[in-house]
Amino acid sequence: MTIFNLGSINADHVYRVPHLPGAGETLAAHSLQTGLGGKGANMSVAAARAGSHVAHIGAVGKDGLWARDRLMEYGVDTRHISSIDTPTGHAIINVDDAGENAITLLSGANQAIPIASIEQALSLGTTADIFVTQNETNAQADAAKIASTLGFRVCYAAAPFDAQAVERVLPYLDFLILNEVEAAQLEAALSTRIDAMDVTDIIVTLGSKGARWINAGAGIDQHFDAINVTPVDTTGAGDTFTGYVLSALDRGLSMGQAMSLATRAAALMVTRMGTADVIPDLKEVEAFSGV
């Protein structure tokens, strides 16, 4: 089985700072680290390291061919990543001493993925496959519709959050993942409680408080505790969680098992500085019990 991921690919420039800068403030960074990132790339790497076959659908500019190569090195199928005449997306990430972050993002090639590439990639899938996307690319709703029509299990990670973007993909979703703040914003936008939305499975991540799984049709509203760790960098933790959940489901685990595994992966991830390049593999996650 395959996880098809229509997702962003970024060059992440991570600055370690004493605190997140305020308006008009010039702040000296302790260090700079540049690596592979983007919510889409992070999820693809996480799912691949968790043991799944992952086909990434995306685009990079000529300046980003290294990112495509890096994804391939991490076990991701890169045949559906287009090289186009638009600069590769990139992010400026400030991370403070408490592990919190603030991110400035340039979408670049992520908003110019050829629809023909998306259609061609999804035509290779089967009803046993999973499709996932996030709000960092073009053609999210179009791709979700195609995937739904073909019988994929369609998942949306609702970040960066935009209520209208969620509304456009909502009719095609089997699975929605969002954080606590995003869930509240979506409830306000739709005037509907999160546990009453017409999506089979919904996960609400709660940071240090864990995560919540809702399957209204089965009468499930279950809480999963987080693992207590000392955070170094929270960037990419949510993407790691999503990638691990999807991989576990792809490999036949139950939702409860998937969430327990993903919770451990996310906890391990926040003890590391960086994004896609430091996402843990399945062996590391299975051996991890917290620090």
Side-chain angles (χ1 to χ4, degrees):
M1 294 181 283
T2 298
I3 298 172
F4 289 86
N5 180 7
L6 172 63
S8 55
I9 302 170
N10 290 335
D12 278 357
H13 306 289
V14 183
Y15 294 85
R16 192 79 201 202
V17 293
H19 60 267
L20 299 182
E25 181 179 10
T26 299
L27 190 62
H30 299 320
S31 63
L32 166 64
Q33 195 172 22
T34 299
L36 175 66
K39 299 191 75 63
N42 295 341
M43 290 178 194
S44 283
V45 172
R49 286 185 165 172
S52 290
H53 176 248
V54 182
H56 193 100
I57 308 168
V60 295
K62 300 300 188 293
D63 59 330
L65 297 180
W66 66 271
R68 185 177 64 185
D69 293 343
R70 187 82 57 88
L71 279 166
M72 183 168 60
E73 290 170 11
Y74 292 153
V76 177
D77 183 342
T78 61
R79 290 175 294 171
H80 308 294
I81 298 175
S82 302
S83 175
I84 61 176
D85 292 325
T86 302
T88 303
H90 71 258
I92 304 299
I93 304 172
N94 289 306
V95 181
D96 68 15
D97 290 339
E100 293 300 321
N101 63 66
I103 302 172
T104 301
L105 181 66
L106 175 72
S107 295
N110 296 317
Q111 289 292 336
I113 301 168
I115 188 67
S117 296
I118 298 170
E119 292 170 341
Q120 181 182 25
L122 294 181
S123 71
L124 302 176
T126 73
T127 56
D129 294 331
I130 294 172
F131 171 77
V132 62
T133 189
Q134 324 79 31
N135 192 28
E136 288 189 337
T137 70
N138 62 302
Q140 299 158 41
D142 291 338
K145 182 177 181 180
I146 293 169
S148 179
T149 301
L150 292 173
F152 287 62
R153 186 174 190 173
V154 180
C155 174
Y156 188 68
F161 183 75
D162 179 276
Q164 291 182 337
V166 181
E167 284 188 76
R168 284 192 290 269
V169 300
L170 204 57
Y172 314 113
L173 295 187
D174 303 298
F175 188 5
L176 175 64
I177 301 178
L178 67 178
N179 67 31
E180 189 173 19
V181 173
E182 294 161 350
Q185 291 173 326
L186 186 59
E187 286 180 327
L190 300 182
S191 299
T192 305
R193 282 176 24 192
I194 196 75
D195 55 5
M197 292 181 186
D198 189 20
V199 179
T200 302
D201 290 297
I202 299 174
I203 292 177
V204 181
T205 57
L206 308 170
S208 62
K209 295 179 290 183
R212 176 187 177 196
W213 167 39
I214 301 162
N215 183 312
I220 296 170
D221 193 336
Q222 186 174 353
H223 181 267
F224 293 78
D225 290 331
I227 295 174
N228 186 30
V229 295
T230 301
V232 173
D233 180 7
T234 59
T235 312
D239 304 331
T240 300
F241 179 93
T242 299
Y244 263 81
V245 163
L246 295 179
S247 174
L249 296 175
D250 171 63
R251 293 184 292 111
L253 276 66
S254 69
M255 182 66 82
Q257 292 170 320
M259 289 190 65
S260 295
L261 184 67
T263 296
R264 291 161 68 184
L268 181 54
M269 180 63 178
V270 302
T271 67
R272 301 177 172 188
M273 183 72 177
T275 44
D277 298 306
V278 298
I279 291 173
D281 63 26
L282 184 59
K283 184 178 180 180
E284 293 175 298
V285 172
E286 289 178 334
F288 179 70
S289 59
V291 294

